[in-house]
Amino acid sequence: MQPKTIGATRFKERCLALLDRLSPDGLVITKHGRPVARVLPYQQGYSRLIGSLRDRITVRGDIMTTGVRWDADDQP
């Protein structure tokens, strides 16, 4: 999908509202019809997800095994 394009003057008038509704493709700012800048949303790190499910899920059984016994030395 192509990023939305807007003139610099219009961007200046509506900057805060445009930033609130910024799409993942970003926004291209033009001056006299020529692209001069591109505004992209800041990528949030995944570190904020660590621990986010604490006290919300229950682990049942051994999560470190599939439950299937096998021997690596066995040849089919």
Side-chain angles (χ1 to χ4, degrees), residues 2-47:
Q2 289 282 3
K4 191 175 178 182
T5 307
I6 189 167
T9 303
R10 194 162 197 195
F11 176 77
K12 184 178 173 184
E13 293 169 355
R14 301 172 187 207
C15 178
L16 296 177
L18 290 168
L19 292 176
D20 286 340
R21 294 182 278 122
L22 192 59
S23 75
D25 296 323
L27 183 65
V28 175
I29 302 169
T30 62
K31 270 185 155 180
H32 306 290
R34 291 185 178 164
V36 293
R38 183 171 183 187
V39 179
L40 296 172
Y42 183 76
Q43 295 292 326
Q44 297 292 327
Y46 294 108
S47 61

